[in-house]
Amino acid sequence: MGRLAQTDGLTEIQRDILATVREFVDKEIIPVATELEHKDEYPTAIVEGMKQLGLFGLTIPEEYGGLGESLLTYALVVEEIARGWMSVSGIVNTHFIVAHMINAHGTQKQKDYFLPRMAAGEIRGAFSMSEPALGSDVSAISTKGVKDGDFYVLNGQKMWLTNGGTSTLVAVLCKTDEGGSSPYKNMTTFLVEKTAGFGPNPTVPGLTVPGKIEKMGYKGVDTTELVLQDVRIPADRILGGIPGRGFYQMMDGVEVGRVNVAARGCGVARRAFELGIAYAQQRTTFGKKISEHQAIQFKLAEMATKVEAAHQMMVMAARKKDSGERNDLEAGMAKYLASEYCKEVVEDAFRIHGGYGFSKEYEIERLYREAPMLLIGEGTAEIQKMIVGRRLLEEYKLAD
């Protein structure tokens, strides 16, 4: 293990967790990741191993059977997992976001019912905000929930659900028109339990997961649509029990999700650097290792600097959230920087590999197809810049 991407001030428990996860990644994920990714095969054995390690309950409080760890610990674990295979980190990410939302905003009954089984990995969470025509404009949401006695009837189509097929609990954002004139007060999050699988759901009439969306990368993990046609959900499955708070609950989830995506970018970039610097010391051109050419040394220096900068920004954003302070500025910066640097580091490692980087026999080929997803997930670079710019104007506003 090199000196890059180290984190100061960790407790002994945090160091032990990371060492255990790193060993799991090296032994159980990296050796099979490329083969599973090329087959677009769900990593069942890896998921079972993560259950045994307690990773699905990493941040869930101990009183509900979890480990009660911080967002920082979780982000560092995600960084290690993404270093092995980014798709695996996606499997735990949406689960973590839903567990965080229930713990932070759920009723006591919802916490007691969901969190212990989520900690054990028996219930697996998915997060559903986007729609086919929605993009980044959440206020344009069209999926509706209409109150009908003690139930709500949900109708609409959701898009880009990570774990949409394999999950058994989906946090679904709907428009409910009960909060007044502001569109942001007319959204409600529903906790929808379902059976894992594709097609019409056998336990939730009207709910359909059509199938996996074919992607150029980020394979293995299922990404799906979610179709809701007159789906009846009890009113007590509104997150927090009160309608109209869904937008703010989802944004809280996205905020921690952005730290997660930053961590994924850090992990993928670190792996790309490892592959690039190793290959540079193996390949010979013009009578010497390519690592001895100044041009390659310059490239390695730039890659390492980006890996380190992204990691430290991600750590800062996680620690800010753990402190209870507002962290949208830091999370936006971290997500933007880590995803952009990840793309650049992966491309430089790809260039170092030369023609072999284009071969599916080499791991860098997989990373080259995975990195672009990070540019889009949890908000594009443009959205992050907009968030950061607005926050900076708040912080540095001139006196009237």
Side-chain angles (χ1 to χ4, degrees), residues 248-271:
Y248 307 99
Q249 294 164 347
M250 285 278 177
M251 289 304 103
D252 183 31
V254 167
E255 204 168 272
V256 295
R258 283 181 180 138
V259 175
N260 173 283
V261 172
R264 284 197 250 180
C266 293
V268 174
R270 181 145 58 95
R271 183 60 179 166

Side-chain angles (χ1 to χ4, degrees), residues 144-146 148 151-156 172 174 190-194 201 203-208 226-234:
K144 292 200 70 171
V146 178
D148 181 19
F151 289 80
Y152 279 77
V153 181
L154 311 186
N155 280 282
V172 183
C174 297
F190 293 91
L191 300 174
V192 180
E193 280 192 279
K194 68 179 186 67
N201 200 270
T203 57
V204 185
L207 186 148
T208 302
L226 181 72
V227 179
L228 303 146
Q229 187 172 10
D230 293 332
V231 175
R232 294 178 64 82
I233 300 297

Side-chain angles (χ1 to χ4, degrees), residues 290-340:
I290 65 172
S291 60
E292 297 175 28
H293 293 289
Q294 190 178 64
I296 299 298
Q297 291 176 8
F298 283 178
K299 198 175 290 293
L300 291 171
E302 292 169 358
M303 292 163 68
T305 301
K306 290 172 181 177
V307 167
E308 185 67 22
H311 173 83
Q312 298 304 336
M313 180 71 82
M314 177 270 291
V315 168
M316 179 183 69
R319 282 183 162 148
K320 178 74 79 170
K321 184 72 172 178
D322 282 332
S323 72
E325 297 181 64
R326 182 177 177 181
N327 88 324
D328 53 345
L329 175 67
E330 291 78 11
M333 286 180 169
K335 192 276 173 183
Y336 166 60
L337 191 77
S339 59
E340 294 291 334

Side-chain angles (χ1 to χ4, degrees), residues 3 29 50 96 99 103 127 147 170 188 234-235 241 299 325 348 372:
R3 65 184 293 173
I29 298 181
M50 291 195 298
F96 160 70
N103 187 53
F127 174 82
K147 188 171 176 57
V170 186
T188 300
K299 198 175 290 293
E325 297 181 64
D348 282 342

Side-chain angles (χ1 to χ4, degrees), residues 67-193:
L67 298 178
E69 278 295 325
S70 63
L71 176 60
L72 174 62
T73 305
Y74 178 77
L76 295 175
V77 165
V78 165
E79 183 180 24
E80 292 294 339
I81 293 174
R83 174 182 156 266
W85 183 13
M86 191 180 76
S87 293
V88 178
S89 66
I91 291 171
V92 294
N93 177 43
T94 56
H95 177 87
F96 160 70
I97 290 176
V98 176
H100 168 80
M101 290 170 61
I102 292 173
N103 187 53
H105 305 288
T107 65
Q108 190 60 53
K109 184 177 179 180
Q110 290 168 349
K111 294 177 187 180
D112 291 340
Y113 179 80
F114 287 113
L115 292 181
R117 290 191 291 161
M118 294 186 79
E122 296 171 6
I123 288 180
R124 302 258 295 286
F127 174 82
S128 180
M129 182 169 64
S130 188
E131 296 180 1
L134 190 61
S136 300
D137 183 10
V138 182
S139 66
I141 189 171
S142 62
T143 299
K144 292 200 70 171
V146 178
K147 188 171 176 57
D148 181 19
D150 293 332
F151 289 80
Y152 279 77
V153 181
L154 311 186
N155 280 282
Q157 183 179 5
K158 310 299 283 188
M159 192 70 172
W160 306 120
L161 276 76
T162 301
N163 299 314
T166 50
S167 63
T168 53
L169 172 65
V170 186
V172 183
L173 185 65
C174 297
K175 189 175 182 181
T176 47
D177 292 337
E178 294 178 296
S181 59
S182 171
Y184 301 105
K185 294 181 180 180
N186 282 296
M187 301 183 206
T188 300
T189 302
F190 293 91
L191 300 174
V192 180
E193 280 192 279

